[in-house]
């Protein structure tokens, strides 16, 4: 697949040719969506989600126009997004958002209700992971993914973020962990 997305602080661009050209995704050179405070983007085969500095999540479902809500779904800026959006009109989905202070927010929903109207729960605002500053999320499938803290804790989920388990703790390693990406993913973990 040659499609990809990038955000600046005010614009969302799409490529359909593997990054050679960026624009509105329809052959034009302008942005496909504009606004303020853009911080992150997540896209699946049909939908696009743009995380903003005020905790608001702009979204485009299928061929519909972008929706720009005014109510934040979380506290703080949205730095990473993963949404498992259903492909059927009555399907279930999950969402995971990482904010700029390292907190992981999760939600579950069933269509036709919206993940943006559903309650988002902070996974690590209290309890054993409340002191951890999570920096990155990476999902290999709709339900299986990882979250990494700046001190080297790696959590795994197999249900779209509803539950997390500690799989690695590199607290003794030198340096600050910034990002993690998988080049392949076999779904284990």
């Amino acid at each position: 697949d040659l499609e990809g997305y990038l955000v600046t602080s005010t614009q969302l661009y799409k490529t359909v040719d593997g990054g050679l050209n960026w624009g509105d995704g329809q052959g034009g050179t302008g942005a496909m969506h504009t606004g303020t405070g853009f911080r992150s983007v997540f896209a699946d085969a049909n939908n696009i989600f743009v995380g903003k500095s005020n905790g608001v999540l702009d979204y485009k479902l299928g061929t519909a126009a972008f929706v720009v809500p005014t109510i934040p779904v979380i506290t703080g800026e949205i730095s990473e997004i993963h949404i498992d959006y259903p492909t059927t009109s009555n399907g279930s989905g999950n969402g995971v958002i990482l904010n700029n202070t390292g907190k992981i927010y999760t939600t579950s929903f069933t269509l036709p209700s919206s993940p943006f109207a559903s309650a988002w729960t902070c996974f690590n605002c209290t309890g054993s992971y409340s002191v951890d500053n999570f920096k990155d999320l990476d999902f290999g499938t709709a339900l299986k993914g990882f979250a990494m803290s700046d001190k080297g804790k790696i959590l795994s989920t197999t249900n779209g973020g509803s539950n997390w388990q500690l799989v690695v703790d590199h607290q003794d390693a030198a340096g600050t962990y910034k990002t993690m990406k998988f080049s392949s993913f076999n779904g284990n973990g």
Side-chain angles (χ1 to χ4, degrees):
D1 190 8
L2 299 176
E3 290 186 358
Y5 299 87
L6 69 83
V7 292
T8 69
S9 60
T10 60
Q11 297 175 321
L12 171 69
Y13 293 94
K14 179 179 182 178
T15 183
V16 294
D17 60 9
L20 297 176
N21 297 286
W22 294 86
D24 61 8
Q26 306 295 317
T29 58
M32 72 178 303
H33 180 52
T34 60
T36 58
F38 290 2
R39 294 294 184 265
S40 56
V41 63
F42 174 81
D44 61 22
N46 301 305
N47 311 297
I48 306 165
F49 306 89
V50 178
K52 298 168 79 172
S53 61
N54 60 358
V56 170
L57 192 62
D58 290 1
Y59 58 94
K60 181 181 185 312
L61 304 178
T63 59
F66 265 94
V67 176
V68 183
T70 57
I71 300 172
V73 294
I74 67 161
T75 301
E77 82 180 35
I78 298 174
S79 56
E80 291 282 337
I81 309 163
H82 172 78
I83 305 284
D84 171 29
Y85 203 82
T87 56
T88 61
S89 62
N90 61 351
S92 297
N94 298 296
V96 180
I97 290 175
L98 183 65
N99 80 356
N100 61 314
T101 61
K103 301 305 180 197
I104 300 170
Y105 290 83
T106 62
T107 190
S108 296
F109 58 95
T110 301
L111 294 180
S113 78
S114 165
F116 320 106
S118 301
W120 288 77
T121 303
C122 183
F123 167 74
N124 61 323
C125 286
T126 61
S128 61
Y129 296 109
S130 62
V131 297
D132 293 304
N133 182 11
F134 285 87
K135 291 292 192 183
D136 205 358
L137 296 171
D138 197 14
F139 278 74
T141 69
L143 298 176
K144 296 180 181 182
F146 297 89
M148 180 196 67
S149 78
D150 61 349
K151 301 295 184 199
K153 283 187 181 175
I154 299 176
L155 303 179
S156 170
T157 182
T158 57
N159 57 10
S162 295
N163 300 98
W164 296 87
Q165 300 80 34
L166 179 67
V167 292
V168 175
D169 189 349
H170 286 291
Q171 300 258 356
D172 58 340
T176 301
Y177 290 75
K178 299 285 187 184
T179 188
M180 122 191 107
K181 295 293 177 221
F182 291 89
S183 60
S184 64
F185 189 90
N186 68 9
N188 293 330

